[in-house]
Amino acid sequence: MPQIELSTARGSLPALLARPSGDGPWPGVVLLHDAFGMTTQLRRHAEWLAAAGYRVLAPDLMSWAGRTRCLWSLFGSMRSRRGRVFEEIEAARSWLAGHPDGTGQVGVIGFCMGGGFALLVVPGGAFDVASVNYGVGVGTPDPYGTDFLAGACPVVGSYGGADRSLRGAAGRLAGSLGELGVAHDVKEYPDAGHSFMDAHVPSEVPGLVRLATRAMGPGYVPDAADDARARIVGFFAEHLRGPERSWP
């Protein structure tokens, strides 16, 4: 999977690129990593999205400094809803939207921390569709509330019912989107916990972080992960692909 360099106001931003087989044009998807960064699991997510027919770009949101400093900055930006991370997400979106082999349509998908940022960029009209997977609910105003989500693009969301860190998040998100009339598919998997779509390689996860993640509930749940991926692909097919051509 090749790495490219994106140009931003703050300098060069490395990003992984995955593309479907065959000829384009393809819709684009910005893939936002979790707090573990550019892991093997992130590459797996890029691969199944590319196999579904999307050009996938995954920016490294922690490339500019060490892990601790970057995470401190990222979660601060999540609370304030401003900062370099939003500039980097926009740089990735703009690159995909302007690619000569693209359709101009771009979605966003994120997991855990990345899911939180995917949720925060749902309003505003920049993206055509969003997939929020156990997206952390940090920010003011409440990112699950109707005030914040006004003007949101269509959203497909997946949460774990056994996720101790996000109790009730799926219901609040679905309720707000429904009240606003935003197309959505939000599902809670009763026996799944946090990060149930992520089968991380243990050596890529710091020990203390791994313990904290386990405290949030059960880890990877294959059946729930398969169902969530199928729902995402189906939802993206409806909202990210134009009717003028057929797709697999």
Side-chain angles (χ1 to χ4, degrees), residues 3-6 12-16 38 58-61 63:
Q3 177 175 295
I4 66 169
E5 299 291 326
L6 303 177
S12 182
L13 171 66
L16 291 177
M38 309 297 279
D60 185 350
L61 304 177
S63 64

Side-chain angles (χ1 to χ4, degrees), residues 104-245:
Q105 293 179 302
V106 183
V108 61
I109 183 171
F111 301 84
C112 189
M113 180 187 75
F117 283 115
L119 183 63
L120 290 177
V121 298
V122 158
F127 287 96
D128 295 289
V129 69
S131 174
V132 178
N133 302 285
Y134 28 92
V136 291
V138 177
T140 303
D142 177 10
Y144 299 115
T146 54
D147 290 342
F148 177 78
L149 290 169
C153 64
V155 176
V156 54
S158 299
Y159 291 81
D163 185 348
R164 302 180 185 94
S165 67
L166 290 170
R167 287 193 175 99
R172 299 204 312 278
L173 178 59
S176 294
L177 293 171
E179 186 175 339
L180 291 166
V182 175
H184 65 280
D185 171 8
V186 179
K187 183 173 180 177
E188 183 178 86
Y189 295 88
D191 298 325
H194 199 75
S195 298
F196 68 88
M197 296 178 69
D198 300 317
H200 282 296
V201 176
S203 61
E204 295 179 339
V205 180
L208 289 176
V209 178
R210 188 161 61 246
L211 289 173
T213 302
R214 286 178 182 171
M216 296 179 184
Y220 181 63
V221 182
D223 290 345
D226 289 345
D227 184 77
R229 283 190 292 267
R231 289 175 40 250
I232 293 165
V233 169
F235 197 85
F236 276 20
E238 180 180 359
H239 296 283
L240 195 56
R241 293 167 162 175
E244 67 278 0
R245 66 175 291 187

